[in-house]
Amino acid sequence: MSAIDLCLTTSFAAPKSGANFVVFCDPKNAVPGFASKGYLEECCRYAKKHRVYLVPWMFTVGPQLCLCLIDPEGQVIGASRAASLSMENAGQYQCYSDIRVAQTPFGQVYLSVDVDVYSPQIGRLAALKGAQLVVASQYLDPFTYSDDAVTQGAWNLAQSNDLWVVSATNMGGAVICPWDDRMASDGYVIRPNDFYPIGCHIDLEKFWQLHQRENILQGLNRGVLKKYKEFLMR
Amino acid sequence: MKTKIPLSLSVTRHLAQAVLSPQRAREEVLSLAPGEARGRFALEGILNVACLQLKAGQFHRFGDWLQHMAALMGEALKKESLLVCLPKYAFLELVRCLPSGGEGLFYALRSPEAYRQLLEGLGDYLCQLACEVFDALAQRYGVYLAAGVIPTRVGDSWRHRMYLFGGEGEPYTQDELSPGAFARQAGITPGEELAVKQTASGTFLLLGEEDLGYYEYLKIGAAMGADVVVTPSWENPDVMAAVDLPRLRAQEENLFVVRTAAVCDGLNPVVSGAYGPVALSRMRDGIIRETARGEEERVLTARLDLDRLHGLVDLEVAQRSPELEAQLRELYFPEGE
């Protein structure tokens, strides 16, 4: 498994030198449907030009709010559609339930679309499907924004599922690791900020070798879940 | 497999039983003055809770500890608290008060092996002693007392069992469902049941601190009707992790989570608090009340508005997806059972 040299930056800004994984954070809401095709084509050219894996900003295709992962050849190798919607988006888009994890040389990556990051079920589903890294792109209301929105979403997702999470919002980027006091005492490897480009070196394999502890999912008491599944699935 | 009990522990047990028998301890608790006020004066739809953020290891004599507890209970009752919550290993304060070896045994928490030895040597006695003492305290002050974890033998194994005293009849208990690494290394086995306690003043669920890592337990509890989750904790290893998980779980499941920590060696700042849905918190951050991050002993009280909690609309229910649930079911129970 290769290490990630992550770069969070605004759409089409040149990545940090040496970056192999770029995530776009745009100050606007999702790319509208009429502009999505052109935006994605440009993203594919960007990935190929800079030889990077790229997660563009959220975009719209018909009633779908989407994210995708593009490889250094400019090919889309993974995509996610919103499985839950904010109240503002509820009339505009539809929900989909196909939670997929993309295989990359860095490990298995799940793309979390907008408010999916707040859903504990969706995060758990991705973790149980083998995700090791989550890229969570989200549009947050700038007038009510506080860093706590990232704690409620991306941070919670990371700690509840032992996942690394790259949070990309219109208000800035952050990198969160599963809690371990040797790496980051509060889980934030990089706290939310918008001083782009934001760089971070992530080596998932080394992290888990260094921090030998049981994965949180191994402690899940499945016997109890089974016994009370009618309450769990209610 | 049983660990051989060291001679010193065996001697201590006999000494302890001779000097501080559970029955005598109970009588001593019941002889306490009831204080200015007694509990059970709850307003309808309101639950006042108190977190006794105790400083560990202050007392070496049971009588001194008891007087101190009486003072703290009095403080909680002044705020009309009906539910009083103790930190996770509150029972260890009783160990420290034992006639010999108490102080040494207190350090059982420093290694799983020492903790296991403590349980094998004194566990049954301590369980009986702690149950008598905390039950009597709840009775004396007319409150529900969430007494933290009291290790309890179940067959050949030990469970970290949380107790809520003060109800009618037997106490409500709940075993930790996902004990942490320390407990598992000490031979604590996970619980097999999850139940809530319905009372006239709310429906309670006891969950271990590590259990809060799993939203599933709170979801099951909420579906069973729980509106207040009580989580006993010890010293926080990390403030952020300790503070935020209870707060975030409260928001996810639309219920209150009450967490009580203990002040130990003063190395880590500790936080106790009551958390709830964002809409019910003054600053819209999910914090109903919280202690400052410090190393002080204190009684934190909070007013939980159950009526307003029941009036909240659960938006998640409106967005339920049977397809997502089917996928989850498949992964939770891979053999298709």
Side-chain angles (χ1 to χ4, degrees), chain A residues 148, chain B residues 45-51 227-229 243-244 246-251 254-259 271-292 298 300-309 312:
Chain A
D148 196 43
Chain B
I46 299 289
L47 176 69
N48 290 321
V49 298
C51 303
D227 29 44
V228 180
V229 175
V243 170
D244 280 319
R247 181 169 69 93
L248 302 175
R249 292 287 174 261
Q251 292 173 21
N254 272 353
L255 35 69
F256 293 108
V257 178
V258 180
R259 174 182 184 286
V271 181
S272 302
Y275 309 93
V278 172
L280 301 188
S281 60
R282 207 155 43 117
M283 303 299 285
R284 296 292 187 264
D285 55 3
I287 299 173
I288 309 293
R289 286 292 305 277
E290 192 176 83
T291 55
R298 62 167 295 184
L300 177 93
T301 55
R303 184 177 183 273
L304 308 184
D305 192 333
L306 299 177
D307 271 352
R308 286 185 67 201
L309 179 79
L312 291 176

Side-chain angles (χ1 to χ4, degrees), chain A residues 83-85 87 97 99 120-122 124-125 128-129 148 151-152 155-156 160 179 185-186 188 214 216 219-222 224-229 231-234, chain B residues 177-178 184 190-194 214-217 219-220 223-224 238 240 244 247-249 251-252 316 319-321 323-325 327-329 331-333 335 337:
Chain A
S84 58
L85 295 168
M87 279 192 288
S97 52
I99 306 297
Q121 290 93 335
I122 294 169
R124 184 69 94 221
L125 197 46
L128 288 169
K129 286 191 172 186
D148 196 43
T151 302
Q152 287 177 31
W155 185 91
N156 189 7
S160 300
W179 175 77
S185 65
D186 59 5
Y188 279 108
E214 196 179 66
I216 194 167
L220 183 63
N221 192 329
R222 289 172 195 256
V224 165
L225 301 194
K226 197 168 166 184
K227 193 176 260 181
Y228 303 100
K229 63 183 171 191
F231 290 104
L232 181 61
M233 300 296 174
R234 185 181 280 184
Chain B
L177 299 171
S178 296
R184 276 183 283 112
E192 292 163 3
E193 311 278 340
L194 196 158
Y214 304 91
Y215 81 91
E216 290 90 343
Y217 306 148
K219 191 164 192 251
I220 292 169
M224 288 176 169
D238 175 78
M240 187 74 173
D244 280 319
R247 181 169 69 93
L248 302 175
R249 292 287 174 261
Q251 292 173 21
E252 279 169 5
E316 197 203 313
Q319 293 206 353
R320 276 189 58 190
S321 161
E323 293 86 13
L324 277 178
E325 285 172 8
Q327 290 177 61
L328 265 176
R329 199 176 293 123
L331 290 163
Y332 281 143
F333 320 117
E335 68 278 27
E337 288 171 29

Side-chain angles (χ1 to χ4, degrees), chain B:
Chain B
M1 191 179 74
K2 284 202 170 184
T3 310
K4 195 179 171 197
I5 303 167
L7 182 65
S8 59
L9 274 177
S10 171
V11 170
T12 303
R13 183 180 58 200
H14 291 302
L15 266 173
Q17 276 169 335
V19 178
L20 186 64
S21 74
Q23 198 49 44
R24 219 201 93 212
R26 181 183 187 89
E27 282 160 15
E28 212 170 313
V29 175
L30 291 175
S31 70
L32 283 171
E36 290 172 16
R38 284 170 63 96
R40 301 263 190 261
F41 29 40
L43 292 169
E44 202 173 326
I46 299 289
L47 176 69
N48 290 321
V49 298
C51 303
L52 304 194
Q53 185 173 288
L54 304 175
K55 182 168 171 53
Q58 293 185 85
F59 302 101
H60 300 267
R61 285 185 54 245
F62 180 68
D64 295 342
W65 175 82
L66 201 52
Q67 287 305 322
H68 186 63
M69 283 300 290
L72 296 177
M73 293 295 274
E75 220 175 300
L77 290 177
K78 271 185 199 157
K79 295 288 175 80
E80 305 187 346
S81 303
L82 184 61
L83 173 64
V84 177
C85 308
L86 299 183
K88 181 171 181 176
Y89 294 111
F91 83 95
L92 277 182
E93 292 304 292
L94 298 173
V95 179
R96 202 175 172 95
C97 295
L98 292 181
S100 75
E103 191 157 349
L105 291 173
F106 181 75
Y107 289 96
L109 279 185
R110 295 291 179 264
S111 89
E113 295 74 27
Y115 188 59
R116 176 75 187 182
Q117 282 196 342
L118 170 70
L119 297 187
E120 290 297 345
L122 283 171
D124 292 318
Y125 158 74
L126 281 175
C127 179
Q128 207 189 343
L129 176 69
C131 284
E132 291 292 348
V133 168
F134 292 129
D135 185 46
L137 269 174
Q139 194 182 325
R140 190 67 189 141
Y141 292 99
V143 294
Y144 289 107
L145 182 68
V149 152
I150 301 175
T152 304
R153 194 192 288 274
V154 179
D156 286 338
S157 64
W158 287 92
R159 297 271 175 84
H160 261 175
R161 185 161 285 179
M162 293 162 283
Y163 286 75
L164 180 76
F165 297 100
E168 294 73 30
E170 290 290 300
Y172 155 59
T173 63
Q174 172 65 50
D175 294 338
E176 281 186 353
L177 299 171
S178 296
F182 176 89
R184 276 183 283 112
Q185 284 164 22
I188 302 291
T189 54
E192 292 163 3
E193 311 278 340
L194 196 158
V196 297
K197 168 76 175 173
Q198 280 186 325
T199 73
S201 311
T203 303
F204 305 135
L205 168 65
L206 297 172
L207 278 182
E209 193 175 21
E210 282 83 6
D211 294 344
L212 283 192
Y214 304 91
Y215 81 91
E216 290 90 343
Y217 306 148
L218 286 99
K219 191 164 192 251
I220 292 169
M224 288 176 169
D227 29 44
V228 180
V229 175
V230 178
T231 298
S233 171
W234 200 235
E235 56 182 338
N236 307 147
D238 175 78
V239 172
M240 187 74 173
V243 170
D244 280 319
L245 271 184
R247 181 169 69 93
L248 302 175
R249 292 287 174 261
Q251 292 173 21
E252 279 169 5
E253 296 302 333
N254 272 353
L255 35 69
F256 293 108
V257 178
V258 180
R259 174 182 184 286
T260 309
V263 181
C264 297
D265 51 16
L267 293 176
N268 294 310
V270 297
V271 181
S272 302
Y275 309 93
V278 172
L280 301 188
S281 60
R282 207 155 43 117
M283 303 299 285
R284 296 292 187 264
D285 55 3
I287 299 173
I288 309 293
R289 286 292 305 277
E290 192 176 83
T291 55
R293 295 170 189 196
E295 295 88 34
E296 288 174 11
E297 178 171 88
R298 62 167 295 184
V299 176
L300 177 93
T301 55
R303 184 177 183 273
L304 308 184
D305 192 333
L306 299 177
D307 271 352
R308 286 185 67 201
L309 179 79
H310 298 148
L312 291 176
V313 178
D314 190 351
L315 291 174
E316 197 203 313
V317 173
Q319 293 206 353
R320 276 189 58 190
S321 161
E323 293 86 13
L324 277 178
E325 285 172 8
Q327 290 177 61
L328 265 176
R329 199 176 293 123
E330 223 167 83
L331 290 163
Y332 281 143
F333 320 117
E335 68 278 27
E337 288 171 29

Side-chain angles (χ1 to χ4, degrees), chain A:
Chain A
M1 198 189 289
S2 312
I4 300 171
D5 279 305
L6 175 76
C7 176
L8 283 145
T9 189
T10 49
S11 281
F12 309 119
K16 276 193 150 190
S17 113
N20 56 14
F21 197 107
V22 176
V23 178
F24 286 162
C25 302
D26 270 11
K28 292 175 287 183
N29 210 330
V31 178
F34 68 85
S36 287
K37 190 166 180 281
Y39 176 75
L40 284 178
E41 282 171 357
E42 203 171 334
C43 287
C44 290
R45 283 195 292 275
Y46 176 99
K48 204 169 175 178
K49 179 182 167 194
H50 295 287
R51 306 299 300 165
V52 292
Y53 283 82
L54 171 67
V55 179
W57 186 236
M58 287 182 292
F59 58 93
T60 306
V61 179
Q64 307 167 81
L65 185 59
C66 308
L67 269 180
C68 72
L69 176 64
I70 300 167
D71 73 6
E73 302 304 322
Q75 303 294 316
V76 175
I77 58 164
S80 278
R81 303 184 285 187
S84 58
L85 295 168
S86 63
M87 279 192 288
E88 295 78 31
N89 285 337
Q92 203 178 342
Y93 302 106
Q94 285 178 14
C95 295
Y96 297 86
S97 52
D98 44 351
I99 306 297
R100 294 199 194 111
V101 174
Q103 184 65 53
T104 72
F106 315 112
Q108 305 220 61
V109 178
Y110 170 65
L111 306 174
S112 167
V113 186
D114 204 33
V115 294
D116 285 356
V117 76
Y118 294 124
S119 165
Q121 290 93 335
I122 294 169
R124 184 69 94 221
L125 197 46
L128 288 169
K129 286 191 172 186
Q132 293 160 298
L133 172 78
V134 175
V135 178
S137 292
Q138 187 185 6
Y139 181 79
L140 295 164
D141 183 350
F143 298 104
T144 58
Y145 175 80
S146 79
D147 289 353
D148 196 43
V150 180
T151 302
Q152 287 177 31
W155 185 91
N156 189 7
L157 173 64
Q159 309 316 325
S160 300
N161 297 286
D162 267 347
L163 295 169
W164 276 77
V165 179
V166 176
S167 165
T169 78
N170 53 311
M171 302 304 289
V175 180
I176 303 144
C177 70
W179 175 77
D180 192 306
D181 56 0
R182 281 170 293 187
M183 184 74 199
S185 65
D186 59 5
Y188 279 108
V189 180
I190 295 176
R191 296 197 70 84
N193 74 86
D194 59 356
F195 298 109
Y196 303 120
I198 301 165
C200 183
H201 181 79
I202 304 172
D203 190 332
L204 295 174
E205 203 167 13
K206 201 168 169 190
F207 177 82
W208 287 114
Q209 274 170 6
L210 277 174
H211 306 269
Q212 282 182 344
R213 61 177 169 86
E214 196 179 66
N215 186 287
I216 194 167
L217 294 181
Q218 287 173 272
L220 183 63
N221 192 329
R222 289 172 195 256
V224 165
L225 301 194
K226 197 168 166 184
K227 193 176 260 181
Y228 303 100
K229 63 183 171 191
E230 75 274 21
F231 290 104
L232 181 61
M233 300 296 174
R234 185 181 280 184

